[in-house]
Amino acid sequence: MSKIYDICIVGSGAGAGPIAYELSKAGKTVVILEKGPWIKTEDFTKDEIVSSRRSVYTPNLKDEPQVLEKKNSKGEWIAESNADGGRDFWNGNCVGGSSNFMSGYFHRMKPKDFKLLSTYGEIKGANIVDWPISYEDLEPFYEKVERVVGVSGKVVSHSTLEPRSTKEFPYPPLATNIVSKWIDLACNDLGYLSVDVARSIISKPLNKRNSCVYSNYCGSYGCSSDAKGSSRVALLNDALETGNCTILPYSKVYYLKSNTDNKVEKAFYHDRENNKQEISAKVFVIAAQAIETSRLLLLSKSDNFKNGLANNNGLVGKNLIFSGGGLGSGQFLKQDFSDKDFSALMVGGLFVNRSIQNWYEINDTDFGGKAKGGTVDFLFEHANGIRKAVRQKFDNGRLLYGTELKDKIHSYFTEQRKITFEIFNDWLPTNDCFVSLDKDVEDKWGDKVARIRLGYHEQDIKVGNYLGEKAKLVLEKLGTKNIKLGVSGSAPPNLVAGGCRFGINPQKSVLDKNCRAHDVKNLYITDASFMPTGGSVPYTWTIYANSFRVADKIKEEFN
Amino acid sequence: MKEIKEKSIINSLREPFYFANSKLTRKQFIRGLIVAGLFTQIPISSCSNKENSFVEDGKLNNEKLRLLTSIQEILFPKTKNSPSASDVNADKYLLWILSDENKSTKDKKYIIDGLSWVNQTSIENYDKDYLNLDSNQQNNLVKIISDESWGRDWLSIIITYIIEAVLADPLYEGNIDELGWKWLNHNPGNPRPRKEILYGNIKETLANR
Ligand SMILES: Cc1cc2nc3c(=O)[nH]c(=O)nc-3n(C[C@H](O)[C@H](O)[C@H](O)COP(=O)(O)OP(=O)(O)OC[C@H]3O[C@@H](n4cnc5c(N)ncnc54)[C@H](O)[C@@H]3O)c2cc1C
Ligand code: SF4
């Protein structure tokens, strides 16, 4: 008889790592099925072509397309496959998943985020609910992430600071550029509070991991010092050292077979040579990132689950959410600063790490009274050279070339530095944002692909603009020029959650409060799929924390 | 032709490498094209380990290659302190792009068809093939083309790849002697890639481990 593992995990990113780490340390046999390759630290380099301009860490869309549904000007939903190119919602397919490529801006959710409905009330057209757990339930695990995955930062007291069980971060804040001080001063003048942003980047060594070397190429790049808190480096390496954890790269799971007792027995996968294989386990954990997790459940139909595994209430794939908000920017022009200041500003590698949370809760009659707001994070434009140069091609829609283009590129690289801000606000869950299976389009293995409807709620735009207008004032105060703001309902592919929301009521949720499927006794989901609402921050700290929480529940089950 | 689109989100800089359908063909041009008998094979050594099958299929000929090189030089000319397209092997780099098996035939065809459209525009305006124009006329022609929407889109793609040749790692065989980085005082970061993990090699290298 073939081996029966204690735990089989699908995916190896942020949602998977804590399960593998905890359960293998607890002596359980763990197997991880990961569809992508195993890229080791030494193979992550600062090659812009590989990291940012071609599909290397993500699949070729010809092989693994997705179908995107968008509203046209008449209000009709139009579906289009991206097999021939276009936007896609793949983020990082390799051992460690997208956590290898994140920038590691880490924020906790705040207590009120767990009670959005009871705090702020209903919003028409949005499926807002309270979470079945509270901030207090998750706090110990946020703290654990700080220690185990490694989070650096400085605690600054402010009106919406989350209650903490420890006074300080275990890793001191990373070094910052002179601009951070300028932001502090600008905010002070405006009556805002600029606060340090925590990062999932260690500022001093931890076991075999080095501290950050300020490579200047962080987001979208794998880390060569192992300072970034990817699941691969921070958790899976330790899990492997127990001898209880096996990682199978190039193993794309396409079906979960459940029995009449409503338990998953086997995961079926395509291996490196495209042969079909199967693995048996006592407990199955899915963490394939929100869209693919829903897709896998929908693909896993059986007699008891005719509409897909754990989907007898039809909620799998529903209430998909992203991070709402947008982006603003301004340019520091050389001519406006002393040589000394401009040189200090141009120093690469150092972080900005400042955010404003003054409007996490909006209380403004002009806005319409009390409402949920969000976060503004400041950062420099990414250092990618090709990207920066390519963006100089146009001047108000006119194509530049020749010396005119070259002069503009040269000036852009040497006579200015762009600072940006990112706005994070809730992407309200609606009936117009969900994952289903496309009826026609299949991937290279013949499995139906995800079809993603990308609707959003107007409130998301309203809040985003409110925050953006405030943040623009900071850029003005800083003396930047060409200030721009873009807030839209365009979904950021890398900040995705929902699709299998957790809750108390089995009729209204897919998972119970411990992220176990209501209907399937040995199936857990530990990526961001469980989140019914997402808070006004990026998700990964919460994904890690929740996965540690669920790991404890699974351990309890075993005991 | 959609431009390579930017994501308005948190440091997600993975700009999708794509071309879309809108203006992929210029029907009026294609109809008028005289293509028979023009094709010869071009001996070029691709800078990746891939066979340059698209070129060897006979779809890009010597004249088109010379036309491409000339256009690239107009788009990215030499100046006192900066490299030109030819200084960074931009033509060879584009041939490497055309040999990329992950790139759709449609996208490759668009790039090559554009060369024919340029020549056709030359005939329409000067009653001469592009390669027989003097340099003033060639410059003027590029100006004329850049004012047309198809031309703007096509030239824009050609410029994107010139810029890649200028600023990608020298292992891709553009950016000779780091001329592009030196010109812009650009620090590309460390560690630098190795040959076996360049685009074109990395997937195979990883799969064979
Ligand atoms: C460029 C970038 C910047 C980011 N910056 C930040 C940031 O600053 N702050 C922040 O909080 N978050 C950030 N993120 C988001 C963060 O990376 C994700 O929230 C997090 O990694 C999600 O964890 P996950 O487990 O859901 O998915 P992932 O970490 O992506 O892991 C999912 C894994 O499942 C695998 N998989 C999928 N389908 C299957 C299948 N059928 N069979 C087997 N395996 C499968 C995938 O290959 C992947 O490896 C960023 C992401 C990117 C791409
Ligand atoms: S060394 Fe620091 S800046 Fe560079 S990728 Fe790693 S964590 Fe990011």
Side-chain angles (χ1 to χ4, degrees):
Chain A
M1 215 178 103
S2 64
K3 176 167 180 170
I4 300 179
Y5 287 90
D6 290 321
I7 322 270
C8 171
I9 308 177
V10 180
S12 60
I19 305 290
Y21 178 91
E22 289 291 328
L23 273 295
S24 59
K25 283 192 174 225
K28 302 294 166 202
T29 52
V30 176
V31 62
I32 296 178
L33 301 173
E34 165 55 55
K35 79 190 275 284
W38 196 338
I39 311 178
K40 306 272 169 71
T41 298
E42 58 272 21
D43 290 329
F44 285 117
T45 68
K46 305 307 180 192
D47 181 347
E48 186 176 350
I49 300 288
V50 164
S51 82
S52 308
R53 301 198 67 79
R54 305 287 188 276
S55 298
V56 172
Y57 302 141
T58 56
N60 187 327
L61 294 176
K62 273 189 287 180
D63 295 335
E64 298 184 59
Q66 297 161 324
V67 174
L68 310 185
E69 279 186 49
K70 278 176 251 164
K71 233 185 209 168
N72 67 12
S73 51
K74 292 184 210 143
E76 301 154 339
W77 289 101
I78 305 295
E80 200 182 346
S81 161
N82 58 15
D84 283 339
R87 252 168 96 82
D88 71 85
F89 286 72
W90 295 107
N91 290 305
N93 286 184
C94 54
V95 171
S98 6
S99 68
N100 288 298
F101 310 111
M102 67 176 175
S103 317
Y105 291 89
F106 263 31
H107 293 270
R108 297 181 180 203
M109 285 173 56
K110 298 183 189 295
K112 284 183 182 171
D113 286 321
F114 293 71
K115 300 184 254 178
L116 210 57
L117 181 64
S118 45
T119 309
Y120 300 101
E122 284 192 28
I123 294 181
K124 197 162 169 257
N127 305 325
I128 305 169
V129 289
D130 287 349
W131 284 31
I133 60 170
S134 67
Y135 174 82
E136 288 69 35
D137 294 322
L138 208 53
E139 199 286 332
F141 302 98
Y142 278 128
E143 190 277 329
K144 186 168 196 172
V145 176
E146 287 183 8
R147 261 182 300 121
V148 177
V149 177
V151 183
S152 57
K154 182 175 141 200
V155 178
V156 176
S157 170
H158 61 96
S159 60
T160 56
L161 176 68
E162 318 81 45
R164 296 177 51 91
S165 53
T166 54
K167 261 176 106 168
E168 278 301 339
F169 285 95
Y171 297 88
L174 294 155
T176 49
N177 186 283
I178 191 172
V179 81
S180 311
K181 291 243 155 17
W182 297 352
I183 293 174
D184 294 343
L185 292 172
C187 285
N188 199 30
D189 280 358
L190 289 162
Y192 306 160
L193 182 66
S194 146
V195 293
D196 284 52
V197 179
R199 299 292 292 265
S200 168
I201 296 177
I202 52 176
S203 49
K204 58 182 189 193
L206 166 65
N207 302 326
K208 292 181 187 156
R209 295 170 60 193
N210 295 314
S211 56
C212 176
V213 296
Y214 301 92
S215 70
N216 205 24
Y217 292 80
C218 198
S220 291
Y221 285 84
C223 178
S224 305
S225 67
D226 286 347
K228 194 191 285 189
S230 70
S231 161
R232 178 181 59 90
V233 165
L235 301 167
L236 298 183
N237 283 349
D238 282 8
L240 288 167
E241 277 192 6
T242 64
N244 295 325
C245 179
T246 308
I247 300 179
L248 300 178
Y250 297 107
S251 303
K252 189 257 191 177
V253 180
Y254 63 93
Y255 185 70
L256 298 169
K257 182 169 181 277
S258 52
N259 61 19
T260 47
D261 200 20
N262 288 353
K263 279 184 141 186
V264 182
E265 283 179 335
K266 284 178 182 173
F268 288 79
Y269 63 97
H270 305 285
D271 72 9
R272 190 185 299 235
E273 279 81 37
N274 294 324
N275 296 318
K276 294 185 170 178
Q277 305 286 359
E278 58 185 65
I279 283 254
S280 303
K282 293 177 190 153
V283 168
F284 287 81
V285 177
I286 317 301
Q289 202 164 45
I291 291 167
E292 290 301 303
T293 290
S294 282
R295 174 185 173 210
L296 179 57
L297 296 187
L298 294 172
L299 283 169
S300 302
K301 294 179 180 147
S302 64
D303 284 348
N304 282 8
F305 298 104
K306 296 207 162 46
N307 299 317
L309 191 60
N311 192 30
N312 285 346
N313 61 11
L315 283 177
V316 169
K318 299 285 160 35
N319 295 304
L320 189 72
I321 51 176
F322 295 90
S323 179
L327 197 71
S329 65
Q331 287 176 282
F332 291 105
L333 302 183
K334 183 176 183 187
Q335 70 211 34
D336 296 339
F337 294 83
S338 68
D339 287 352
K340 189 168 154 251
D341 279 353
F342 192 73
S343 303
L345 186 71
M346 292 299 267
V347 174
L350 300 177
F351 295 99
V352 178
N353 285 354
R354 288 294 188 275
S355 79
I356 307 178
Q357 294 205 315
N358 283 63
W359 318 287
Y360 206 83
E361 179 167 279
I362 299 172
N363 205 344
D364 186 340
T365 43
D366 287 347
F367 185 82
K370 200 164 117 181
K372 180 64 199 304
T375 303
V376 175
D377 272 3
F378 290 92
L379 62 158
F380 280 125
E381 178 183 29
H382 197 285
N384 269 347
I386 297 170
R387 176 178 183 261
K388 283 200 294 187
V390 164
R391 284 173 168 202
Q392 308 311 313
K393 278 190 306 189
F394 289 97
D395 182 26
N396 283 325
R398 183 172 66 90
L399 182 72
L400 303 182
Y401 63 89
T403 46
E404 195 182 9
L405 172 65
K406 293 181 87 173
D407 288 348
K408 187 172 174 212
I409 292 174
H410 189 261
S411 158
Y412 195 82
F413 275 70
T414 56
E415 293 170 351
Q416 68 86 46
R417 189 158 193 193
K418 191 185 258 185
I419 184 149
T420 60
F421 60 78
E422 289 174 338
I423 305 160
F424 301 98
N425 57 262
D426 286 67
W427 179 285
L428 296 177
T430 69
N431 292 343
D432 280 335
C433 194
F434 61 86
V435 182
S436 59
L437 292 182
D438 193 79
K439 288 196 185 59
D440 306 313
V441 183
E442 294 177 344
D443 64 17
K444 67 172 179 186
W445 297 281
D447 303 323
K448 298 222 172 314
V449 307
R451 180 179 175 120
I452 312 159
R453 181 172 286 196
L454 293 162
Y456 61 91
H457 198 288
E458 279 305 324
Q459 174 80 0
D460 309 347
I461 310 289
K462 190 177 165 198
V463 175
N465 275 317
Y466 182 88
L467 298 172
E469 290 302 330
K470 302 268 187 202
K472 268 167 72 180
L473 299 179
V474 180
L475 296 191
E476 271 168 30
K477 201 87 197 160
L478 284 169
T480 66
K481 303 282 158 56
N482 305 323
I483 296 171
K484 296 198 174 108
L485 171 66
V487 172
S488 78
S490 167
N494 57 345
L495 301 176
V496 53
C500 298
R501 50 168 51 177
F502 74 160
I504 306 291
N505 184 341
Q507 294 310 312
K508 295 189 168 167
S509 51
V510 177
L511 308 173
D512 69 14
K513 73 176 203 176
N514 295 330
C515 293
R516 177 163 64 175
H518 285 297
D519 293 353
V520 188
K521 295 168 192 160
N522 63 342
L523 176 69
Y524 291 81
I525 292 179
T526 57
D527 54 24
S529 304
F530 76 99
M531 297 171 78
T533 58
S536 300
V537 288
Y539 301 137
T540 313
W541 197 349
T542 301
I543 298 173
Y544 272 137
N546 183 63
S547 184
F548 274 115
R549 182 183 73 89
V550 176
D552 281 1
K553 303 294 173 196
I554 298 176
K555 273 194 272 181
E556 277 170 28
E557 278 292 307
F558 270 107
N559 294 335
Chain B
M1 172 77 53
K2 277 184 219 157
E3 275 303 319
I4 291 174
K5 215 175 20 184
E6 191 193 316
K7 296 180 178 183
S8 64
I9 44 166
I10 172 167
N11 261 355
S12 175
L13 296 154
R14 189 168 57 79
E15 287 147 307
F17 175 59
Y18 69 82
F19 300 102
N21 323 334
S22 52
K23 294 170 197 145
L24 277 187
T25 55
R26 279 194 79 207
K27 285 210 178 94
Q28 68 275 34
F29 270 87
I30 284 177
R31 265 189 241 117
L33 276 182
I34 307 158
V35 288
L38 283 177
F39 304 134
T40 55
Q41 289 193 359
I42 301 158
I44 52 113
S45 64
S46 161
C47 60
S48 84
N49 60 348
K50 294 273 154 15
E51 301 244 316
N52 205 335
S53 60
F54 196 75
V55 178
E56 283 163 9
D57 280 345
K59 290 177 186 143
L60 186 61
N61 57 35
N62 277 321
E63 280 76 17
K64 283 191 191 166
L65 189 59
R66 280 170 54 213
L67 193 154
L68 167 71
T69 311
S70 164
I71 297 269
Q72 285 182 323
E73 205 66 2
I74 293 172
L75 296 174
F76 217 78
K78 191 159 183 67
T79 65
K80 207 168 111 223
N81 300 316
S82 68
S84 68
S86 60
D87 288 338
V88 295
N89 281 343
D91 52 353
K92 195 170 167 194
Y93 186 88
L94 194 78
L95 292 178
W96 175 66
I97 298 289
L98 293 174
S99 74
D100 182 354
E101 60 192 16
N102 294 322
K103 196 165 173 54
S104 75
T105 311
K106 198 163 71 177
D107 294 345
K108 294 173 186 174
K109 189 172 175 314
Y110 173 74
I111 290 176
I112 295 174
D113 284 351
L115 296 167
S116 304
W117 303 336
V118 171
N119 201 50
Q120 190 68 15
T121 314
S122 169
I123 292 168
E124 281 170 11
N125 282 272
Y126 294 103
D127 214 13
K128 273 189 204 168
D129 283 333
Y130 174 89
L131 290 173
N132 294 330
L133 302 180
D134 64 33
S135 70
N136 265 344
Q137 290 170 324
Q138 288 179 338
N139 277 300
N140 276 341
L141 191 76
V142 171
K143 171 82 185 78
I144 292 168
I145 289 169
S146 75
D147 287 337
E148 288 200 39
S149 78
W150 74 267
R152 199 187 73 138
D153 292 344
W154 183 80
L155 290 172
S156 163
I157 296 297
I158 302 297
I159 292 174
T160 295
Y161 290 121
I162 296 173
I163 292 175
E164 284 198 358
V166 174
L167 286 167
D169 191 280
L171 285 179
Y172 289 103
E173 296 189 18
N175 193 11
I176 310 288
D177 294 333
E178 307 185 358
L179 282 173
W181 295 342
K182 286 176 192 156
W183 166 48
L184 297 173
N185 198 15
H186 176 64
N187 180 348
N190 279 305
R192 301 309 315 152
R194 305 182 302 278
K195 184 141 199 228
E196 73 271 18
I197 52 170
L198 292 180
Y199 177 71
N201 303 344
I202 185 169
K203 285 199 177 180
E204 220 170 302
T205 300
L206 294 171
N208 290 333
R209 284 223 177 113

PDB file of all heavy atoms in Angstrom, chain A residues 233-253:
ATOM      1  N   VAL A 233      12.112  30.407   2.905  1.00  0.00           N
ATOM      2  CA  VAL A 233      13.299  30.591   3.732  1.00  0.00           C
ATOM      3  C   VAL A 233      12.961  30.563   5.223  1.00  0.00           C
ATOM      4  O   VAL A 233      13.651  29.932   6.020  1.00  0.00           O
ATOM      5  CB  VAL A 233      13.966  31.931   3.362  1.00  0.00           C
ATOM      6  CG1 VAL A 233      14.967  32.350   4.415  1.00  0.00           C
ATOM      7  CG2 VAL A 233      14.633  31.804   2.001  1.00  0.00           C
ATOM      8  N   ALA A 234      11.880  31.237   5.582  1.00  0.00           N
ATOM      9  CA  ALA A 234      11.599  31.410   7.012  1.00  0.00           C
ATOM     10  C   ALA A 234      10.961  30.176   7.633  1.00  0.00           C
ATOM     11  O   ALA A 234      11.095  29.966   8.839  1.00  0.00           O
ATOM     12  CB  ALA A 234      10.691  32.626   7.204  1.00  0.00           C
ATOM     13  N   LEU A 235      10.267  29.372   6.823  1.00  0.00           N
ATOM     14  CA  LEU A 235       9.508  28.276   7.420  1.00  0.00           C
ATOM     15  C   LEU A 235       9.824  26.904   6.815  1.00  0.00           C
ATOM     16  O   LEU A 235      10.033  25.938   7.536  1.00  0.00           O
ATOM     17  CB  LEU A 235       8.007  28.562   7.283  1.00  0.00           C
ATOM     18  CG  LEU A 235       7.544  29.864   7.951  1.00  0.00           C
ATOM     19  CD1 LEU A 235       6.145  30.243   7.511  1.00  0.00           C
ATOM     20  CD2 LEU A 235       7.607  29.739   9.482  1.00  0.00           C
ATOM     21  N   LEU A 236       9.856  26.832   5.491  1.00  0.00           N
ATOM     22  CA  LEU A 236       9.997  25.507   4.881  1.00  0.00           C
ATOM     23  C   LEU A 236      11.388  24.915   5.128  1.00  0.00           C
ATOM     24  O   LEU A 236      11.523  23.704   5.301  1.00  0.00           O
ATOM     25  CB  LEU A 236       9.698  25.565   3.375  1.00  0.00           C
ATOM     26  CG  LEU A 236       8.266  26.004   3.022  1.00  0.00           C
ATOM     27  CD1 LEU A 236       8.040  25.954   1.513  1.00  0.00           C
ATOM     28  CD2 LEU A 236       7.225  25.131   3.726  1.00  0.00           C
ATOM     29  N   ASN A 237      12.418  25.764   5.153  1.00  0.00           N
ATOM     30  CA  ASN A 237      13.758  25.223   5.429  1.00  0.00           C
ATOM     31  C   ASN A 237      13.797  24.545   6.796  1.00  0.00           C
ATOM     32  O   ASN A 237      14.369  23.467   6.949  1.00  0.00           O
ATOM     33  CB  ASN A 237      14.820  26.334   5.357  1.00  0.00           C
ATOM     34  CG  ASN A 237      15.149  26.691   3.912  1.00  0.00           C
ATOM     35  OD1 ASN A 237      14.735  25.982   2.980  1.00  0.00           O
ATOM     36  ND2 ASN A 237      15.871  27.769   3.715  1.00  0.00           N
ATOM     37  N   ASP A 238      13.173  25.161   7.779  1.00  0.00           N
ATOM     38  CA  ASP A 238      13.129  24.548   9.117  1.00  0.00           C
ATOM     39  C   ASP A 238      12.296  23.272   9.101  1.00  0.00           C
ATOM     40  O   ASP A 238      12.635  22.280   9.754  1.00  0.00           O
ATOM     41  CB  ASP A 238      12.528  25.524  10.146  1.00  0.00           C
ATOM     42  CG  ASP A 238      13.541  26.582  10.566  1.00  0.00           C
ATOM     43  OD1 ASP A 238      14.621  26.634   9.950  1.00  0.00           O
ATOM     44  OD2 ASP A 238      13.238  27.362  11.494  1.00  0.00           O
ATOM     45  N   ALA A 239      11.193  23.321   8.371  1.00  0.00           N
ATOM     46  CA  ALA A 239      10.340  22.126   8.295  1.00  0.00           C
ATOM     47  C   ALA A 239      11.137  20.969   7.694  1.00  0.00           C
ATOM     48  O   ALA A 239      11.077  19.830   8.184  1.00  0.00           O
ATOM     49  CB  ALA A 239       9.092  22.421   7.456  1.00  0.00           C
ATOM     50  N   LEU A 240      11.918  21.266   6.656  1.00  0.00           N
ATOM     51  CA  LEU A 240      12.704  20.205   6.007  1.00  0.00           C
ATOM     52  C   LEU A 240      13.726  19.608   6.974  1.00  0.00           C
ATOM     53  O   LEU A 240      13.988  18.412   6.957  1.00  0.00           O
ATOM     54  CB  LEU A 240      13.426  20.774   4.779  1.00  0.00           C
ATOM     55  CG  LEU A 240      12.519  21.095   3.580  1.00  0.00           C
ATOM     56  CD1 LEU A 240      13.267  21.949   2.560  1.00  0.00           C
ATOM     57  CD2 LEU A 240      12.008  19.822   2.915  1.00  0.00           C
ATOM     58  N   GLU A 241      14.270  20.479   7.820  1.00  0.00           N
ATOM     59  CA  GLU A 241      15.304  20.001   8.753  1.00  0.00           C
ATOM     60  C   GLU A 241      14.773  18.988   9.765  1.00  0.00           C
ATOM     61  O   GLU A 241      15.532  18.209  10.317  1.00  0.00           O
ATOM     62  CB  GLU A 241      15.946  21.190   9.486  1.00  0.00           C
ATOM     63  CG  GLU A 241      17.017  21.800   8.617  1.00  0.00           C
ATOM     64  CD  GLU A 241      17.911  22.785   9.339  1.00  0.00           C
ATOM     65  OE1 GLU A 241      17.793  22.931  10.573  1.00  0.00           O
ATOM     66  OE2 GLU A 241      18.713  23.423   8.633  1.00  0.00           O
ATOM     67  N   THR A 242      13.479  18.968   9.984  1.00  0.00           N
ATOM     68  CA  THR A 242      12.924  17.977  10.920  1.00  0.00           C
ATOM     69  C   THR A 242      12.986  16.571  10.330  1.00  0.00           C
ATOM     70  O   THR A 242      12.850  15.582  11.051  1.00  0.00           O
ATOM     71  CB  THR A 242      11.432  18.269  11.239  1.00  0.00           C
ATOM     72  OG1 THR A 242      10.674  18.123  10.026  1.00  0.00           O
ATOM     73  CG2 THR A 242      11.223  19.658  11.819  1.00  0.00           C
ATOM     74  N   GLY A 243      13.123  16.507   9.011  1.00  0.00           N
ATOM     75  CA  GLY A 243      13.099  15.193   8.366  1.00  0.00           C
ATOM     76  C   GLY A 243      11.686  14.687   8.140  1.00  0.00           C
ATOM     77  O   GLY A 243      11.479  13.619   7.564  1.00  0.00           O
ATOM     78  N   ASN A 244      10.708  15.442   8.575  1.00  0.00           N
ATOM     79  CA  ASN A 244       9.313  14.992   8.421  1.00  0.00           C
ATOM     80  C   ASN A 244       8.608  15.610   7.228  1.00  0.00           C
ATOM     81  O   ASN A 244       7.446  15.318   6.967  1.00  0.00           O
ATOM     82  CB  ASN A 244       8.503  15.362   9.680  1.00  0.00           C
ATOM     83  CG  ASN A 244       8.983  14.624  10.894  1.00  0.00           C
ATOM     84  OD1 ASN A 244       9.396  13.467  10.777  1.00  0.00           O
ATOM     85  ND2 ASN A 244       8.954  15.277  12.051  1.00  0.00           N
ATOM     86  N   CYS A 245       9.282  16.521   6.560  1.00  0.00           N
ATOM     87  CA  CYS A 245       8.589  17.268   5.508  1.00  0.00           C
ATOM     88  C   CYS A 245       9.201  16.951   4.146  1.00  0.00           C
ATOM     89  O   CYS A 245      10.426  16.987   3.977  1.00  0.00           O
ATOM     90  CB  CYS A 245       8.693  18.765   5.810  1.00  0.00           C
ATOM     91  SG  CYS A 245       7.911  19.793   4.569  1.00  0.00           S
ATOM     92  N   THR A 246       8.356  16.662   3.198  1.00  0.00           N
ATOM     93  CA  THR A 246       8.786  16.390   1.825  1.00  0.00           C
ATOM     94  C   THR A 246       8.148  17.429   0.915  1.00  0.00           C
ATOM     95  O   THR A 246       6.942  17.672   1.019  1.00  0.00           O
ATOM     96  CB  THR A 246       8.269  14.995   1.373  1.00  0.00           C
ATOM     97  OG1 THR A 246       8.648  14.046   2.351  1.00  0.00           O
ATOM     98  CG2 THR A 246       8.785  14.614  -0.002  1.00  0.00           C
ATOM     99  N   ILE A 247       8.967  18.033   0.061  1.00  0.00           N
ATOM    100  CA  ILE A 247       8.388  18.988  -0.900  1.00  0.00           C
ATOM    101  C   ILE A 247       8.499  18.388  -2.293  1.00  0.00           C
ATOM    102  O   ILE A 247       9.596  17.977  -2.709  1.00  0.00           O
ATOM    103  CB  ILE A 247       9.135  20.344  -0.859  1.00  0.00           C
ATOM    104  CG1 ILE A 247       9.038  20.958   0.544  1.00  0.00           C
ATOM    105  CG2 ILE A 247       8.550  21.309  -1.897  1.00  0.00           C
ATOM    106  CD1 ILE A 247       9.770  22.290   0.701  1.00  0.00           C
ATOM    107  N   LEU A 248       7.396  18.323  -3.004  1.00  0.00           N
ATOM    108  CA  LEU A 248       7.415  17.828  -4.380  1.00  0.00           C
ATOM    109  C   LEU A 248       7.124  18.988  -5.332  1.00  0.00           C
ATOM    110  O   LEU A 248       5.968  19.389  -5.489  1.00  0.00           O
ATOM    111  CB  LEU A 248       6.367  16.722  -4.564  1.00  0.00           C
ATOM    112  CG  LEU A 248       6.520  15.475  -3.692  1.00  0.00           C
ATOM    113  CD1 LEU A 248       5.388  14.487  -3.955  1.00  0.00           C
ATOM    114  CD2 LEU A 248       7.868  14.812  -3.914  1.00  0.00           C
ATOM    115  N   PRO A 249       8.184  19.562  -5.933  1.00  0.00           N
ATOM    116  CA  PRO A 249       7.943  20.634  -6.895  1.00  0.00           C
ATOM    117  C   PRO A 249       7.374  20.055  -8.189  1.00  0.00           C
ATOM    118  O   PRO A 249       7.326  18.831  -8.355  1.00  0.00           O
ATOM    119  CB  PRO A 249       9.331  21.233  -7.114  1.00  0.00           C
ATOM    120  CG  PRO A 249      10.279  20.126  -6.803  1.00  0.00           C
ATOM    121  CD  PRO A 249       9.604  19.232  -5.791  1.00  0.00           C
ATOM    122  N   TYR A 250       6.980  20.917  -9.105  1.00  0.00           N
ATOM    123  CA  TYR A 250       6.386  20.497 -10.389  1.00  0.00           C
ATOM    124  C   TYR A 250       5.231  19.520 -10.170  1.00  0.00           C
ATOM    125  O   TYR A 250       5.104  18.537 -10.884  1.00  0.00           O
ATOM    126  CB  TYR A 250       7.433  19.845 -11.292  1.00  0.00           C
ATOM    127  CG  TYR A 250       8.566  20.750 -11.703  1.00  0.00           C
ATOM    128  CD1 TYR A 250       9.838  20.594 -11.155  1.00  0.00           C
ATOM    129  CD2 TYR A 250       8.368  21.755 -12.652  1.00  0.00           C
ATOM    130  CE1 TYR A 250      10.888  21.406 -11.540  1.00  0.00           C
ATOM    131  CE2 TYR A 250       9.419  22.574 -13.039  1.00  0.00           C
ATOM    132  CZ  TYR A 250      10.672  22.407 -12.483  1.00  0.00           C
ATOM    133  OH  TYR A 250      11.702  23.208 -12.878  1.00  0.00           O
ATOM    134  N   SER A 251       4.435  19.733  -9.154  1.00  0.00           N
ATOM    135  CA  SER A 251       3.320  18.832  -8.865  1.00  0.00           C
ATOM    136  C   SER A 251       2.046  19.657  -8.794  1.00  0.00           C
ATOM    137  O   SER A 251       1.742  20.276  -7.787  1.00  0.00           O
ATOM    138  CB  SER A 251       3.538  18.120  -7.524  1.00  0.00           C
ATOM    139  OG  SER A 251       4.757  17.423  -7.550  1.00  0.00           O
ATOM    140  N   LYS A 252       1.328  19.665  -9.892  1.00  0.00           N
ATOM    141  CA  LYS A 252       0.150  20.528  -9.991  1.00  0.00           C
ATOM    142  C   LYS A 252      -1.108  19.717  -9.671  1.00  0.00           C
ATOM    143  O   LYS A 252      -1.481  18.788 -10.411  1.00  0.00           O
ATOM    144  CB  LYS A 252       0.088  21.132 -11.397  1.00  0.00           C
ATOM    145  CG  LYS A 252      -0.961  22.203 -11.544  1.00  0.00           C
ATOM    146  CD  LYS A 252      -2.153  21.641 -12.270  1.00  0.00           C
ATOM    147  CE  LYS A 252      -3.109  22.727 -12.679  1.00  0.00           C
ATOM    148  NZ  LYS A 252      -4.238  22.173 -13.443  1.00  0.00           N
ATOM    149  N   VAL A 253      -1.711  20.033  -8.568  1.00  0.00           N
ATOM    150  CA  VAL A 253      -2.883  19.282  -8.121  1.00  0.00           C
ATOM    151  C   VAL A 253      -4.092  19.697  -8.953  1.00  0.00           C
ATOM    152  O   VAL A 253      -4.332  20.887  -9.167  1.00  0.00           O
ATOM    153  CB  VAL A 253      -3.141  19.535  -6.619  1.00  0.00           C
ATOM    154  CG1 VAL A 253      -4.358  18.758  -6.143  1.00  0.00           C
ATOM    155  CG2 VAL A 253      -1.906  19.151  -5.803  1.00  0.00           C
TER     156      VAL A 253
END
